[in-house]
């Protein structure tokens, strides 16, 4: 389980996360919604141990991310795909996917390569294994990013606006892959603006507003009643969202 307890993160005088608590149990898909600047990416970075906490605690399967030795172990349990495709530009698609399992997990090259090719095939990129990132479209790059995360066989997959830089067609491609991962039981923490998609795949929806987690509800309840809509901030947020074309 990922457990976020009373987390405070400040940048200068600004409390970007202000007492955030959240749990994600195996098998859950938890979507984090919230306006730009509400702290979503910061929360993901804190779970990864990329930011020093100013208060509270985060554990991944009991491992405290504030403790460097435990963080190293925790990082093997979760993998993150970011908004911008952080692929290594000087490495082929295949190498981008095989690097961490070989170097970090020290697994045998042949085995890792076979798995990487299967992953790439599963996202329709079997024939792009030897291409370089610059030769791919944005949607293809993001699919490679997802393969790279999955190659670590993570228990938790963290996704930070993986479709926000993509056009609608590429967004649909990437969402289709995420939908399949959810069907396969992958545990996810999903930061997105694709509200309709989130509604279909999430176990729970949480809403961040100015660094505070103001709502944490099962998906149906979030959209159905009180939960979401009674909150003026959430109502305002949802009213600005456009449904995903052809997805619902
Ligand atoms: N390294 C940093 N130094 C200073 N301020 C930062 C830093 N990183 C984030 N912030 C500030 O923290 C706040 C939350 O940023 P964050 O990136 O978490 O928002 P977000 O919810 O992910 O927004 P978006 O939807 O635009 O991605 C913003 O006001 C941002 O300017
Ligand atoms: Mg962000």
């Amino acid at each position: 389980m990922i457990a976020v307890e009373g987390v405070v993160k400040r940048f200068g005088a600004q409390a970007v996360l202000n007492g955030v608590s959240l749990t994600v149990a195996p098998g859950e898909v938890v979507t984090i919604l919230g306006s730009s600047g509400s702290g979503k990416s910061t929360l993901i970075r804190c779970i990864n141990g990329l930011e020093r906490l100013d208060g509270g605690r985060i554990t991944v399967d009991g491992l405290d991310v504030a403790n460097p030795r435990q963080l190293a172990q925790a990082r093997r349990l979760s993998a993150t795909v970011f908004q911008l495709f952080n692929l290594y530009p000087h490495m082929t698609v295949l190498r981008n996917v095989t690097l961490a399992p070989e170097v970090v997990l020290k697994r045998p090259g042949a085995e890792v390569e076979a798995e990487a090719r299967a992953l790439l095939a599963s996202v329709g990129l079997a024939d792009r294994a030897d291409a370089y990132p610059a030769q791919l479209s944005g949607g293809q790059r993001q699919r490679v990013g997802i393969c790279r995360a999955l190659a670590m066989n993570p228990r938790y997959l963290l996704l930070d606006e993986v479709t926000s830089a993509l056009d609608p067609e590429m967004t649909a491609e990437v969402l289709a892959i995420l939908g399949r991962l959810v069907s396969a039981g992958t545990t996810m923490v999903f930061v997105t603006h694709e509200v309709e998609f989130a509604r279909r795949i999430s176990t729970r929806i949480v809403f961040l507003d100015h660094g505070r987690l103001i709502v944490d509800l099962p998906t149906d309840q979030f959209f159905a009643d009180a939960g979401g809509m009674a909150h003026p901030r959430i109502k305002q947020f949802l009213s600005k969202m456009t449904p995903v074309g052809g997805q619902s």
Side-chain angles (χ1 to χ4, degrees), residues 40-41 83 160-161:
K40 306 180 296 296
S41 295
Q83 175 170 6
D160 188 0
E161 303 212 31

PDB file of all heavy atoms in Angstrom, residues 40-41 83 160-161, ligand 2:
ATOM      1  N   LYS A  40      -0.615  18.504  -7.674  1.00  0.00           N
ATOM      2  CA  LYS A  40      -0.697  17.108  -8.117  1.00  0.00           C
ATOM      3  C   LYS A  40       0.684  16.528  -8.430  1.00  0.00           C
ATOM      4  O   LYS A  40       1.040  15.448  -7.949  1.00  0.00           O
ATOM      5  CB  LYS A  40      -1.612  16.999  -9.351  1.00  0.00           C
ATOM      6  CG  LYS A  40      -2.997  17.606  -9.143  1.00  0.00           C
ATOM      7  CD  LYS A  40      -3.866  17.477 -10.386  1.00  0.00           C
ATOM      8  CE  LYS A  40      -3.371  18.225 -11.615  1.00  0.00           C
ATOM      9  NZ  LYS A  40      -3.332  19.707 -11.449  1.00  0.00           N
ATOM     10  N   SER A  41       1.443  17.235  -9.264  1.00  0.00           N
ATOM     11  CA  SER A  41       2.774  16.718  -9.631  1.00  0.00           C
ATOM     12  C   SER A  41       3.695  16.677  -8.423  1.00  0.00           C
ATOM     13  O   SER A  41       4.501  15.747  -8.283  1.00  0.00           O
ATOM     14  CB  SER A  41       3.414  17.586 -10.727  1.00  0.00           C
ATOM     15  OG  SER A  41       2.660  17.502 -11.906  1.00  0.00           O
ATOM     16  N   GLN A  83       4.593  13.639 -17.580  1.00  0.00           N
ATOM     17  CA  GLN A  83       3.919  14.381 -18.649  1.00  0.00           C
ATOM     18  C   GLN A  83       4.793  14.515 -19.893  1.00  0.00           C
ATOM     19  O   GLN A  83       4.357  14.302 -21.006  1.00  0.00           O
ATOM     20  CB  GLN A  83       3.583  15.765 -18.107  1.00  0.00           C
ATOM     21  CG  GLN A  83       2.991  16.719 -19.103  1.00  0.00           C
ATOM     22  CD  GLN A  83       2.481  17.978 -18.404  1.00  0.00           C
ATOM     23  OE1 GLN A  83       2.670  18.160 -17.197  1.00  0.00           O
ATOM     24  NE2 GLN A  83       1.831  18.827 -19.140  1.00  0.00           N
ATOM     25  N   ASP A 160       1.566  10.826 -14.436  1.00  0.00           N
ATOM     26  CA  ASP A 160       1.324  12.262 -14.257  1.00  0.00           C
ATOM     27  C   ASP A 160       1.013  12.921 -15.601  1.00  0.00           C
ATOM     28  O   ASP A 160       1.929  13.254 -16.351  1.00  0.00           O
ATOM     29  CB  ASP A 160       2.531  12.930 -13.595  1.00  0.00           C
ATOM     30  CG  ASP A 160       2.245  14.382 -13.218  1.00  0.00           C
ATOM     31  OD1 ASP A 160       1.116  14.861 -13.465  1.00  0.00           O
ATOM     32  OD2 ASP A 160       3.146  15.039 -12.674  1.00  0.00           O
ATOM     33  N   GLU A 161      -0.259  13.069 -15.888  1.00  0.00           N
ATOM     34  CA  GLU A 161      -0.713  13.742 -17.112  1.00  0.00           C
ATOM     35  C   GLU A 161      -0.005  13.216 -18.359  1.00  0.00           C
ATOM     36  O   GLU A 161       0.526  13.979 -19.148  1.00  0.00           O
ATOM     37  CB  GLU A 161      -0.485  15.248 -16.996  1.00  0.00           C
ATOM     38  CG  GLU A 161      -1.194  15.798 -15.770  1.00  0.00           C
ATOM     39  CD  GLU A 161      -1.677  17.214 -15.958  1.00  0.00           C
ATOM     40  OE1 GLU A 161      -2.013  17.565 -17.102  1.00  0.00           O
ATOM     41  OE2 GLU A 161      -1.726  17.948 -14.961  1.00  0.00           O
TER      42      GLU A 161
HETATM   43 MG1  LIG B   2       1.452  18.780 -12.833  1.00  0.00          MG
END
